[in-house]
Amino acid sequence: MNLTHIEHIGIAVKNLEESIPYYEKVLGLKCYSVEEVKDQKVKTAFFKVGQTKIELLESTDPEGPIGKFLEKKGEGVHHIAFAVNGLEEALSETEAKGIQLIDKTPRKGAEGLSIAFLHPKSTFGVLTELCEDKNV
Amino acid sequence: MNLTHIEHIGIAVKNLEESIPYYEKVLGLKCYSVEEVKDQKVKTAFFKVGQTKIELLESTDPEGPIGKFLEKKGEGVHHIAFAVNGLEEALSETEAKGIQLIDKTPRKGAEGLSIAFLHPKSTFGVLTELCEDKNV
């Protein structure tokens, strides 16, 4: 698999309006986009630091994935996303090595990326996203 | 605060020997160092992807910080470390803005970095490390 960098870190927060000022005023990062991803039942806020984005995730529905995560674990890191060259091939390889995939084929994520998740049961507890920007 | 990139992501695992092959053989990263940090009661394994390191943390003592984390939360992301220029100044600024510091002054971390942690109660659930490489 050809991972190039950490594309983003997804962080579950209760409330974007309360947490954005921490990232901006304390850490000095700039929120460059707020986007709702309706099928994931989240509102997201993006920041960039070096090669990597911070994606804050606020739930818009307690039954959505972030709603359930917050209920169970509270605020904190939700997933890590690696940028990969050749997402489809990476997924086949990963499955062939016995890793459980959440998405067997890529789907559309925030910012127009092609994304797929690996199951944390197979990845030593880290919900792991592989993503590829097909627009570059 | 002048953050330049994500220096590393710390991930708590039960067993380095079992988890290193996932990072090497599935994700294709290379473990370039295994180091024991005695005062933190951990053994660490390092990988690099782009600008960022993955630091796997295995507890060597159930009463140490990673031992307690694993007991309470299980395997998963333990902390995020941002590289900063001017660590002492960043800590004073951060404290002045009402953020709770775990380390009021920098201490020595793995790989000879100067490091300090911010308390997750002040950072929306993310145990956050600031670090600076004074050797460069």
Side-chain angles (χ1 to χ4, degrees), chain A residues 57-91:
Chain A
L57 299 151
E58 176 191 302
S59 175
T60 55
D61 179 342
E63 295 306 312
I66 297 301
K68 286 183 186 168
F69 179 90
L70 285 167
E71 172 69 25
K72 196 172 159 194
K73 303 204 172 186
E75 294 182 303
V77 175
H78 176 259
H79 67 273
I80 298 180
F82 294 97
V84 66
N85 290 325
L87 178 55
E88 284 85 354
E89 197 179 280
L91 288 176

Side-chain angles (χ1 to χ4, degrees), chain A residues 1 3-6 9 11 18-19 22 25-27 49-52 75-77 80 97 123-126, chain B residues 1 3-6 9 11 18-19 22 25-27 49-52 75-77 80 97 118 123-126:
Chain A
M1 191 182 303
L3 300 181
T4 58
H5 61 284
I6 295 180
I9 300 174
I11 297 173
E18 286 173 14
S19 47
Y22 163 70
K25 293 185 182 152
V26 179
L27 296 185
V49 52
Q51 292 176 320
T52 301
E75 294 182 303
V77 175
I80 298 180
K97 287 174 182 163
T123 60
F124 298 87
V126 178
Chain B
M1 194 182 306
L3 300 182
T4 57
H5 61 285
I6 295 181
I9 300 176
I11 298 173
E18 287 173 14
S19 48
Y22 163 71
K25 293 183 182 152
V26 179
L27 296 185
V49 51
Q51 293 176 321
T52 301
E75 293 183 304
V77 175
I80 298 180
K97 286 172 182 164
L118 314 184
T123 60
F124 299 87
V126 178

